[in-house]
């Protein structure tokens, strides 16, 4: 819930907050000083509590919210909507400005119309393919691993890189 809201409203003008939800908690040394941990607790979980305490003891910033019952969920909706607006103001971005929303809707409508008319989605031309991988990235390379290396070489310290793997569920990979 909060992850989608934060991601949707931030990330403009080269600024933003990157929410990471449902990530298994790692050992404190694996994290740099670029995170704020938010723990939502509902009931007791000794293992979770130990992991959160280890992060705190290592000096990582941790905010913990204890939810008493299911009605606290409504308060969480409000909390994260408000926090998203405040964080946007702090970053100097308008969290309510949604650039390219109409363009995205128009592009989606065109794809759906094509599907209704032809029964097929547009064919994405892969820049490179390997035996088990097709890469549609614009990075150069003669193989998927080469395209990935070329793409990663464009990153600077502090940049965020996301690799999105779209796989068929239910099939053996």
């Amino acid at each position: 819930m909060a992850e989608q809201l934060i991601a949707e409203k931030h990330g403009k003008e080269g600024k933003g907050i990157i929410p990471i939800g449902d990530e298994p908690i790692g050992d404190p040394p694996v994290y740099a000083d670029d995170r704020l941990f938010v723990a939502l607790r509902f009931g007791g979980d000794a293992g979770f509590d130990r992991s959160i305490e280890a992060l705190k003891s290592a000096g990582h910033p941790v905010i913990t919210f204890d939810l008493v019952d299911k009605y606290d969920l409504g308060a969480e909706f409000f909390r994260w909507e408000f926090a998203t607006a405040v964080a946007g103001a702090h970053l100097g971005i308008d969290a309510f400005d949604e650039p390219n929303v109409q363009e995205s809707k128009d592009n989606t409508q065109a794809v759906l119309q094509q599907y209704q008319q032809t029964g097929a989605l547009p064919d994405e031309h892969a820049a490179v393919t390997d035996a088990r991988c097709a890469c549609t990235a614009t990075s150069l390379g003669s193989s998927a691993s080469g395209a990935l290396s070329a793409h990663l070489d464009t990153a600077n310290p502090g940049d965020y890189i996301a690799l999105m793997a779209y796989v068929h569920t239910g099939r053996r990979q």
Side-chain angles (χ1 to χ4, degrees):
M1 159 198 80
E3 295 89 356
Q4 189 271 337
L5 175 70
I6 294 167
E8 175 184 287
K9 299 298 183 183
H10 294 152
K12 302 168 189 165
E13 302 173 26
K15 306 174 195 174
I17 296 173
I18 302 166
I20 301 173
D22 295 329
E23 176 186 34
I25 302 172
D27 291 329
V30 302
Y31 300 111
D33 62 355
D34 61 349
R35 295 183 184 222
L36 165 67
F37 293 89
V38 178
L40 298 177
R41 294 182 70 244
F42 187 77
D45 180 336
F48 179 79
D49 292 343
R50 279 191 300 277
S51 295
I52 294 299
E53 191 53 44
L55 291 170
K56 287 180 186 177
S57 296
H60 292 291
V62 179
I63 299 172
T64 303
F65 297 113
D66 290 308
L67 307 181
V68 177
D69 58 37
K70 62 184 177 182
Y71 299 108
D72 285 342
L73 188 57
E76 287 305 311
F77 275 98
F78 177 77
R79 180 195 319 269
W80 291 102
E81 288 173 358
F82 188 79
T84 298
V86 170
H90 179 73
L91 291 169
I93 59 174
D94 181 353
F96 303 103
D97 178 30
E98 297 182 328
N100 308 101
V101 169
Q102 189 58 50
E103 178 185 3
S104 294
K105 288 179 181 180
D106 293 344
N107 291 339
T108 300
Q109 185 60 37
V111 169
L112 292 174
Q113 272 184 325
Q114 178 182 340
Y115 181 78
Q116 287 174 338
Q117 293 170 353
T118 66
L121 292 171
D123 186 28
E124 290 284 334
H125 177 70
V128 293
T129 58
D130 281 353
R132 296 178 54 187
C133 180
C135 183
T136 58
T138 57
S139 299
L140 301 176
S142 58
S143 66
S145 62
L148 177 60
S149 291
H151 180 67
L152 293 176
D153 286 343
T154 67
N156 295 307
D159 284 355
Y160 170 77
I161 297 174
L163 300 178
M164 310 294 278
Y166 299 97
V167 297
H168 296 282
T169 57
R171 282 185 17 194
R172 185 175 173 167
Q173 299 300 320

